[in-house]
């Protein structure tokens, strides 16, 4: 986690200890703790990361045992005491399973930190060697164990009261016909993951605002990249023949998206349709050197709508399949619907966020390493607009599951036919094969989109 701009041998003891405790609250207070995390001694961050992993493992073991000891299953099996719950959960009164658990969790956490650093690195890069951005992102990622510790304690604070109330005879929670740990634990874990992604993204954006902009480059031909600094505004490019006006009349050639210029609902809708169905045309007219704060808001709106839409959709499917209208709906059915709606509203945006970042990193890695675009903020702006493409995944998967669960007769006939011939690929039923192959084709199409987008933005002058 070394920093190329600040050498560790210049650190004083006071600065070292200030850096040591900065990761504990950085993701909650990034503006106050940004400087020591980004510029402090790397050894202090490594020590803080190791301490954070140890504390997180201890807290996680305690949280798991405590939640189980308060659960309905533990009461019924006689494992309510912490010592009995410890032996039951780990399968042995000895400490070997705990040692394995304590070794597995830090390893997984280290993998999460490395993957997260790669997914976030583009925002902490402007120009020059890309490895410097990875160093900065690894510094920020060293704070993650402390945030996870706080979120684990938050999960306990939500789950334990619900379990206690669920064990009380005649309680409102007990009438849900769901295990109390499911009512509290599953949504609180989803909320914790969403909070982790939100706070991490916020901290990275704040850190990115401190980076200097790369030097301005001279005007170039938007058709081939030829230097136009010594040519008049009339005529054509001597290399590719493109009109110079098509490269130099910035407000005409690239007027900007309607979302950036007008905002409001109409601009949001028009830009979303243009990105989804006419990506090459859209990115040839969008301004890339303007601030990207509005683009972040644009993408957050889409992510929120996807979550709400997924919750409403799965709730409707569940209603049509399980809850018939020929009887009065009792409180347990309403509670199940609310539980499912909450879970999917939180889970789908998290899954979409990860998928979006992974495809973006794989697609744009050659751009960033080769310097194909002069400022990585252009790629970040493209990423914000490309969140619209996630609606293709929502539409495909929603339609597929709707047809499988509550589809027309022809879909049921197709399903019955494939089941009758027992068609399996790699041991998977045809529904799973169709699901995976459809999503794989959408991802491949997304990679192709990014290559077309590079051709539309790489020589932009505005």
């Amino acid at each position: 986690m070394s920093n190329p701009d600040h050498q560790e041998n210049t650190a004083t003891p006071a600065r070292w200890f200030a850096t040591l405790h900065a990761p504990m609250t950085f993701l909650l207070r990034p503006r106050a703790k940004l400087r020591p995390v980004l510029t402090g001694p790397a050894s202090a961050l490594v020590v803080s990361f190791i301490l954070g992993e140890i504390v997180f493992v201890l807290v996680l073991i305690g949280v798991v045992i405590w939640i189980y000891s308060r659960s309905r299953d533990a009461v019924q099996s006689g494992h309510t005491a912490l010592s009995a719950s410890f032996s039951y959960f780990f399968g042995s009164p000895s400490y070997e399973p705990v040692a394995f658990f304590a070794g597995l969790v830090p390893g997984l956490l280290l993998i999460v930190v490395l993957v997260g650093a790669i997914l976030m690195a583009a925002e902490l890069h402007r120009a020059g060697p890309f490895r410097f951005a990875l160093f900065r992102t690894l510094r920020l990622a060293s704070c993650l164990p402390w945030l996870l510790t706080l979120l684990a304690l938050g999960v306990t604070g939500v789950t334990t009261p619900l379990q206690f109330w669920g064990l009380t005879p005649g309680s409102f929670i007990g009438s849900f016909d769901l295990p109390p740990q499911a009512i509290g634990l599953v949504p609180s874990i989803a909320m914790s993951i969403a909070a982790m992604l939100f706070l991490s993204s916020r901290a990275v954006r704040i850190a990115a605002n401190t980076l200097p902009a790369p030097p301005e480059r001279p005007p170039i031909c938007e058709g081939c990249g030829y230097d136009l600094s010594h040519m008049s505004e009339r005529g054509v490019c001597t290399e590719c023949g493109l009109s110079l006006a098509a490269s130099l009349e910035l407000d005409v050639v690239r007027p900007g998206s309607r979302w950036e210029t007008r905002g409001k609902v109409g601009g949001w809708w028009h830009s979303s349709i243009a990105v989804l169905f006419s990506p090459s045309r859209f990115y040839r007219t969008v301004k890339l050197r303007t601030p990207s704060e509005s683009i972040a808001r644009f993408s957050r709106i889409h992510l929120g709508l996807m979550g709400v839409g997924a919750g409403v959709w799965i709730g409707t499917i569940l209603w049509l399949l399980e809850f018939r209208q020929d009887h009065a709906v009792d409180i347990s059915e309403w509670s199940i619907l609310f539980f499912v709606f909450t879970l999917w509203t939180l889970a789908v945006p998290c899954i979409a966020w990860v998928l979006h970042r992974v495809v973006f990193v794989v697609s744009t890695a050659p751009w960033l390493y080769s310097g194909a675009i002069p400022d990585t903020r252009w790629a970040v702006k493209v990423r914000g607009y490309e969140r619209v493409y996630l609606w293709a995944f929502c539409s495909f998967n929603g339609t597929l599951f709707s047809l499988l669960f509550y589809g027309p007769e022809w879909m049921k006939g197709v399903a019955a036919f494939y089941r009758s011939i027992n068609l399996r690929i790699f041991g998977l039923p045809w529904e799973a094969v169709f699901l995976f192959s459809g999503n794989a084709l959408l991802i491949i199409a997304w990679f192709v989109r990014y290559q077309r987008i590079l051709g539309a933005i790489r020589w932009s002058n505005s």
Side-chain angles (χ1 to χ4, degrees):
M1 297 181 185
S2 61
N3 190 306
D5 303 321
H6 300 269
Q7 298 300 322
E8 187 177 344
N9 55 16
T10 63
T12 63
R15 185 182 177 210
W16 195 93
F17 283 105
T19 304
L20 178 67
H21 66 73
M24 299 179 186
T25 57
F26 168 71
L27 290 175
L28 299 178
R29 304 173 57 206
R31 298 183 189 277
K33 303 292 184 178
L34 181 63
R35 183 176 180 83
V37 170
L38 283 182
T39 64
S43 61
L45 291 178
V46 172
V47 172
S48 182
F49 178 79
I50 295 174
L51 290 175
E53 281 197 314
I54 294 174
V55 173
F56 175 64
V57 169
L58 294 176
V59 169
L60 189 61
I61 292 175
V63 165
V64 170
I65 296 173
W66 174 256
I67 289 177
Y68 174 75
S69 69
R70 307 305 303 169
S71 69
R72 182 181 299 165
D73 296 336
V75 172
Q76 294 174 351
S77 58
H79 299 113
T80 53
L82 287 180
S83 58
S85 298
F86 177 90
S87 299
Y88 178 80
F89 180 79
F90 288 104
S92 171
S94 64
Y95 291 95
E96 287 82 1
V98 180
F100 175 77
F101 183 81
L104 178 64
V105 172
L108 293 177
L109 183 56
L110 182 60
I111 294 175
V112 170
V113 166
L114 294 176
V115 173
I118 295 173
L119 296 182
M120 295 286 193
E123 292 179 274
L124 290 178
H125 184 61
R126 293 294 179 262
F130 189 70
R131 65 179 182 274
F132 293 164
L134 288 175
F135 292 147
R136 299 185 192 103
T137 315
L138 282 173
R139 284 176 164 268
L140 301 186
S142 67
C143 311
L144 189 60
W146 296 103
L147 176 63
L148 292 176
T149 301
L150 180 63
L151 295 178
L153 294 173
V155 168
T156 309
V158 172
T159 305
T160 301
L162 290 175
Q163 290 179 334
F164 178 78
W165 294 330
L167 292 172
T168 304
S171 68
F172 178 74
I173 299 295
S175 65
F176 284 5
D177 287 341
L178 289 173
Q181 61 266 35
I183 296 175
L185 188 60
V186 176
S188 58
I189 289 177
M191 291 176 63
S192 297
I193 295 174
M196 182 186 69
L197 296 179
F198 172 78
L199 293 173
S200 301
S201 299
R202 172 174 170 265
V204 170
R205 286 197 302 270
I206 292 174
N209 291 334
T210 65
L211 299 177
E216 289 289 332
R217 70 179 184 185
I220 60 176
C221 174
E222 291 210 8
C224 65
Y226 183 69
D227 189 347
L228 302 179
S229 56
H230 301 293
M231 302 184 67
S232 64
E233 295 183 1
R234 298 182 178 181
V236 298
C237 173
T238 57
E239 294 296 316
C240 67
L242 182 69
S243 169
L244 296 183
S247 300
L248 302 177
E249 294 183 3
L250 305 183
D251 291 334
V252 176
V253 177
R254 291 186 178 270
S257 67
R258 290 196 183 182
W259 167 252
E260 290 186 89
T261 57
R262 301 181 185 180
K264 300 182 179 180
V265 177
W268 178 86
W269 176 256
H270 181 275
S271 297
S272 301
I273 295 299
V275 171
L276 186 58
F277 296 105
S278 304
S280 296
R281 182 184 302 176
F282 175 82
Y283 287 110
R284 289 190 185 280
T285 59
V286 73
K287 291 183 179 293
L288 297 167
R289 298 172 187 258
T290 54
S292 59
E293 286 77 9
S294 63
I295 312 304
R297 187 168 65 255
F298 174 87
S299 62
R300 286 196 297 269
I301 293 173
H302 277 285
L303 203 61
L305 290 176
M306 289 175 194
V308 175
V312 172
W313 167 76
I314 192 64
T316 303
I317 293 294
L318 186 61
W319 176 275
L320 294 175
L321 287 175
E322 299 295 337
F323 307 142
R324 306 302 180 184
Q325 299 182 5
D326 55 357
H327 68 278
V329 180
D330 58 28
I331 189 171
S332 64
E333 292 177 339
W334 283 115
S335 63
I336 293 174
L337 285 173
F338 179 75
F339 172 79
V340 171
F341 171 81
T342 303
L343 180 61
W344 281 74
T345 301
L346 293 171
V348 167
C350 294
I351 297 172
W353 188 94
V354 173
L355 174 63
H356 185 195
R357 289 296 179 109
V358 169
V359 173
F360 169 78
V361 168
V362 174
S363 300
T364 61
W367 309 3
L368 306 183
Y369 280 101
S370 64
I373 53 178
D375 192 336
T376 308
R377 287 176 294 183
W378 295 12
V380 173
K381 178 171 283 193
V382 168
R383 187 189 65 200
Y385 278 121
E386 279 300 289
R387 185 159 286 175
V388 178
Y389 187 78
L390 288 169
W391 285 108
F393 292 90
C394 295
S395 301
F396 170 75
N397 291 287
T399 302
L400 176 61
F401 282 106
S402 298
L403 292 176
L404 290 175
F405 292 145
Y406 203 76
E409 293 301 323
W410 68 266
M411 189 65 182
K412 295 180 180 179
V414 172
F417 170 74
Y418 276 99
R419 292 192 186 97
S420 66
I421 63 177
N422 196 26
L423 178 63
R424 290 176 177 267
I425 301 178
F426 301 112
L428 297 174
W430 77 272
E431 296 93 340
V433 173
F434 194 69
L435 176 67
F436 294 148
S437 60
N439 284 280
L441 289 175
L442 288 174
I443 292 175
I444 293 172
W446 210 353
F447 289 148
V448 174
R449 278 175 62 95
Y450 270 107
Q451 296 309 309
R452 296 174 61 187
I453 291 169
L454 175 61
I457 69 170
R458 66 182 304 179
W459 292 310
S460 172
N461 288 305
S462 62

